[in-house]
Amino acid sequence: MPESVQSTPSVDPALQPRLVVTDLDGSLLDHHSYDFSPAAPWLARLKQMGVPVIPVTSKTRAELIPLREALGLTATPFIAENGAVIGLPPGWCHARLDRPGSGRDGVVIKHPGVDIGFIRARLKVWRERLGIRFTRMGEMSVAEVMELTGLDAVRARDARQREGSEPLLWQDSEAALETFRTALEGDGLQLTQGGRFWHVMGRSADKGSAVEWLVKRFTALRGRAPLSLGLGDGPNDITMLEAVDQAVVIRGCHDLAVEPSNASIYRTDATGPTGWAEGVAYWWGRDDRRLATAEKGDVVIL
């Protein structure tokens, strides 16, 4: 078995433990076609280097099951529903803190936020009390979700299987949106803007908080804090990009502002998975010793 990289001052900085957290839609996945082939070479290289690549997405756990298979990320954790759901594969579980996963893949699920039933009940109350106009994803038919997202029927059904957040289409004014946001805050809920929808979730359940939790878990299990890289293209990625050491804002197919407070930030010229590869190469492509180790076929255990 290969020896682990030791935490000593003599170790080359290029060989320190690393972690990638990434948005999916519009980032690792093309916003329209959901293709990720331009990023595939870097995904393979990171896997060879032993660097976990963790999806951090507004998608549901049900949507992520086939995507994790397709992306080759079944051994890494995932963050679903913008931080409301955290999935831990066996290698990331703590013997005393985590009950064995009940799913076929053994994944342990953490819910940092609040129950979807509570969210939907409060949305009903505030829509009636404030007289505001929006449509919840749960109120849409599968056909309507397919039309809005470009998903096929199976994936559209999976997108409606919410556990801790509710996407909605806002159909009212900016002033009404701010009144709505304030009302939700009184319930311990928050409103986050994604690429297609606004998302309502618990105050403690956002991408950044979930990433911070996973970084702490990595550090506890491996005995050393990783250098973290985050990639995203939307406003709901800002907290994630502020929770990492190095951030990449991928040029989006939208006009939404993405302005994270991070001193180490790179903005790509390309969009989608091509921009994703550009961003990873910008920060980590110069680590020649690390890349040479991976390309020789030596597995670096982190």
Side-chain angles (χ1 to χ4, degrees), residues 59-67 137 141-143 145-147 149-161:
K59 291 184 180 299
T60 65
R61 175 162 47 133
E63 288 179 277
L64 276 173
I65 291 172
L67 273 174
M137 179 180 280
S141 67
V142 171
V145 174
M146 290 171 63
E147 184 177 354
T149 62
L151 297 171
D152 59 30
V154 172
R155 290 190 293 174
R157 280 195 294 270
D158 289 342
R160 296 173 77 249
Q161 295 186 38

Side-chain angles (χ1 to χ4, degrees), residues 162-173:
R162 318 301 300 185
E163 296 177 72
S165 69
E166 181 73 2
L168 54 85
L169 285 179
W170 185 251
Q171 297 154 330
D172 216 310
S173 66

